[in-house]
Amino acid sequence: MSRSDVDYMQRALQLATDAAMAGEVPVAAVLVRDGDIVAESVNKPIGLHDPTAHAEILTLRAAGAALQSYRLNDTTLYVTLEPCVMCAAAIVHARVARVVFGAWDPKAGGAGSTVDVFRLPAMNHRVDVFGGVMAQECGALLSQFFASRRGT
């Protein structure tokens, strides 16, 4: 039985919930190849004191180590939030085949909300991008997290 995009996004959402409980912005990423999870991570910029420690970047790093290659061909990256410009560029450079994300990020999204890094003509790799999978659940988790931070 093969798993669906929703199954992998549910896994990412579970991880994002754990990140929120740890005080990090609840974003998670899961990288899959041939139906197997290769790597997964959550946002950790606060805990690692590293502005580049986004879930996508940490997942790409872990996958590169696991596969012993910086080229992550034939993989799909599931992310609970639209990748930012930094993460979108890293995804292109890693040669990820497909990105599936949950909530759109109108303030910093790099897959069409502010700019579409994946469609820039100069990029040397094309990524198939699909947004909005479990968008309501992913967005609600983020909204709840920030509301609790504001005390509302």
Side-chain angles (χ1 to χ4, degrees):
M1 178 174 149
S2 69
R3 296 174 73 182
S4 71
D5 288 346
V6 171
D7 293 325
Y8 294 114
M9 189 61 73
Q10 285 174 332
R11 173 62 184 152
L13 198 52
Q14 290 171 343
L15 293 168
T17 300
D18 294 343
M21 293 182 355
E24 295 282 356
V25 174
V27 177
V30 175
L31 189 82
V32 175
R33 179 186 274 168
D34 297 327
D36 295 321
I37 294 175
V38 175
E40 57 188 26
S41 192
V42 298
N43 266 12
K44 295 181 183 178
I46 296 168
L48 295 178
H49 311 290
D50 179 355
T52 69
H54 290 196
E56 300 95 322
I57 299 294
L58 296 175
T59 299
L60 295 175
R61 288 177 183 162
L67 298 173
Q68 292 293 291
S69 177
Y70 71 102
R71 297 284 193 228
L72 305 175
N73 298 317
D74 303 317
T75 59
T76 298
L77 184 66
Y78 295 88
V79 188
T80 56
L81 181 66
E82 177 184 2
C84 70
V85 171
M86 173 185 70
C87 292
I91 290 164
V92 169
H93 290 296
R95 304 297 195 273
V96 171
R98 187 169 174 253
V99 171
V100 177
F101 67 87
W104 292 88
D105 186 352
K107 293 182 180 178
S113 288
T114 62
V115 66
D116 193 343
V117 172
F118 299 108
R119 302 290 174 255
L120 293 174
M123 288 297 191
N124 61 349
H125 173 72
R126 296 288 170 241
V127 179
D128 182 25
V129 181
F130 186 75
V133 174
M134 296 184 67
Q136 185 174 359
E137 295 89 340
C138 294
L141 180 60
L142 285 158
S143 294
Q144 291 164 2
F145 176 80
F146 288 115
S148 71
R149 291 287 183 134
R150 291 188 301 268
T152 57

